[in-house]
Amino acid sequence: MRATALLLIAMFVLSARALEKKCDKLSMKELLEIIKQRFEEIKQRANEHKCKCSGTDHKKNVAFHVNLGSDIKNLKPRAVVMFDQVVLNMGKAYNPSNGLFTCPDDGVYSFTWTALTSPNTSFESDFVVNGKVVAGNRASAYNDKEYQPATKTVVVKLKKGDVANVAAHGHSAKHMYPFWSSYSGFRVF
């Protein structure tokens, strides 16, 4: 902002000097009027060229990342998965006490969640918007001696007030291991 102001002042001075050389017969009042007109032209051009890209509008910035704080076992079908260790919650759209993301502004949002399950079990989950399943994620380690992760990303168009969450899929949300299991989201535009 400061650099822009200095640039404008320099332009005025140069314009005034150029006009002074060309128009010795103009009065100071006439010169000032011409400079004022040029200033208005510059201001108008600057307003016309302001960036209207995503992120420059004045909608609230929204981004969150949360981890699972403790093991989750045997969730009931459609139970909300509550990721409770908040790492980032810009815009406060994610509520760690109930696991719900409430959309603050219309836009396109990206969400990613990872489930890590322990050997000989699984954790299947869904991404849900306003009660409707949008996508699923299946971490399965049945007949496996290793922990198994699964990650899913969804990009959805939401309206202000829409509610999104990760939920247990059927009776297959047997075990999700903490810390390495996480959920995040942000407004794309």
Side-chain angles (χ1 to χ4, degrees):
M1 189 66 174
R2 192 175 194 188
T4 304
L6 290 173
L7 181 62
L8 286 173
I9 291 169
M11 289 173 66
F12 289 140
V13 170
L14 291 174
S15 293
R17 286 184 183 160
L19 283 172
E20 213 175 284
K21 287 180 183 178
K22 288 182 182 178
C23 308
D24 287 333
K25 296 180 184 174
L26 292 176
S27 71
M28 186 55 86
K29 184 177 179 181
E30 290 169 323
L31 280 174
L32 289 174
E33 187 58 38
I34 292 170
I35 292 171
K36 182 179 173 187
Q37 288 172 354
R38 289 212 176 151
F39 175 73
E40 290 301 320
E41 288 171 12
I42 291 168
K43 200 163 99 176
Q44 184 177 352
R45 283 187 201 143
N47 286 334
E48 289 171 2
H49 290 91
K50 277 188 181 173
C51 182
K52 292 180 174 74
C53 330
S54 66
T56 59
D57 58 14
H58 297 293
K59 291 190 178 182
K60 190 188 314 185
N61 290 324
V62 177
F64 72 93
H65 178 81
V66 287
N67 293 322
L68 186 65
S70 57
D71 289 66
I72 291 180
K73 293 184 179 182
N74 302 315
L75 286 181
K76 293 181 181 177
R78 300 196 59 112
V80 175
V81 178
M82 290 189 281
F83 295 86
D84 55 350
Q85 287 186 337
V86 176
V87 177
L88 174 72
N89 198 2
M90 287 178 64
K92 306 291 185 215
Y94 178 77
N95 185 339
S97 65
N98 63 16
L100 302 177
F101 172 87
T102 304
C103 182
D105 287 306
D106 294 1
V108 173
Y109 292 79
S110 177
F111 297 91
T112 300
W113 76 106
T114 298
L116 178 69
T117 195
S118 54
N120 295 310
T121 191
S122 70
F123 195 88
E124 294 181 19
S125 55
D126 297 319
F127 184 76
V128 180
V129 176
N130 296 328
K132 181 181 174 191
V133 175
V134 175
N137 189 7
R138 182 174 192 256
S140 179
Y142 281 117
N143 300 319
D144 199 338
K145 294 178 183 176
E146 301 290 327
Y147 286 80
Q148 292 298 327
T151 298
K152 186 72 168 237
T153 298
V154 296
V155 177
V156 292
K157 185 176 182 181
L158 299 177
K159 293 190 178 286
K160 183 175 182 170
D162 284 349
V163 177
N165 62 279
V166 175
H169 177 83
H171 293 281
S172 301
K174 300 295 183 193
H175 181 234
M176 187 163 51
Y177 201 76
F179 185 71
W180 288 276
S181 299
S182 62
Y183 176 35
S184 61
F186 59 92
R187 183 172 182 267
V188 179
F189 56 88

